[in-house]
Amino acid sequence: GGLTAEDGLSDVSVEHSVTVEAPVLASLPAVTLTGPNQVSLCDSATFTAVGSASRPLTYVWTAESSGNVNVSANLTAQLASESGSAVTFPASLLSGATVVRCVATNFLGASTDVSVTVDTVAAGYPVVALELPPPPYVVSRDLYAFATVNFSSCV
């Protein structure tokens, strides 16, 4: 009794070794990154990666200069210690325009790289963050954006 496949692969009396490999074209995770483009030096900057995948994603955060700006070692170290989908750091770690980058990787090793450039501004400006759903965007569907405003703690 019982089911048996060709060559006895489902026969319980015989041991078989099966190798499962990742697909040749692994599906890339869909990820969006939200965060401020400008932040006052006495405030904090929060960046959030929102991903869509069949299993949890892993995140790697980095910062790189935008132009002639050197990224501080403290910011580099703080981002390297983060592994979640959101990071917050004091804007005082920024030394001008900085690209905050997040690489989201799925369980198959496929990665999506997203980034936001953030710069410092004079104290007291409100920070507006605009959130959009991940692409693709289709003309025949409504697109909803959400905005949040954070007032500076500098004033």
Side-chain angles (χ1 to χ4, degrees):
L3 297 174
T4 332
E6 184 176 345
D7 297 325
L9 286 179
S10 65
D11 187 348
V12 293
S13 64
V14 180
E15 277 191 36
H16 295 283
S17 177
V18 177
T19 303
V20 178
E21 296 179 3
V24 176
L25 298 173
S27 176
L28 295 175
V31 179
T32 57
L33 181 60
T34 59
N37 295 104
Q38 296 180 324
V39 64
S40 299
L41 283 172
C42 59
D43 291 326
S44 293
T46 298
F47 296 87
T48 304
V50 178
S52 172
S54 60
R55 295 186 188 178
L57 299 170
T58 59
Y59 300 92
V60 174
W61 294 90
T62 58
E64 56 195 53
S65 66
S66 177
N68 295 332
V69 175
N70 291 324
V71 175
S72 77
N74 289 338
L75 177 58
T76 300
Q78 181 167 346
L79 292 178
S81 70
E82 300 288 344
S83 61
S85 62
V87 295
T88 299
F89 56 85
S92 60
L93 295 180
L94 297 170
S95 51
T98 303
V99 177
V100 175
R101 184 173 306 282
C102 177
V103 177
T105 305
N106 66 16
F107 75 103
L108 294 173
S111 298
T112 298
D113 184 324
V114 289
S115 63
V116 171
T117 300
V118 60
D119 201 353
T120 55
V121 294
Y125 285 98
V127 175
V128 178
L130 185 64
E131 294 182 42
L132 293 170
Y137 303 116
V138 181
V139 175
S140 62
R141 290 194 176 164
D142 292 335
L143 178 64
Y144 295 96
F146 299 95
T148 56
V149 178
N150 292 311
F151 293 95
S152 175
S153 60
C154 298
V155 286

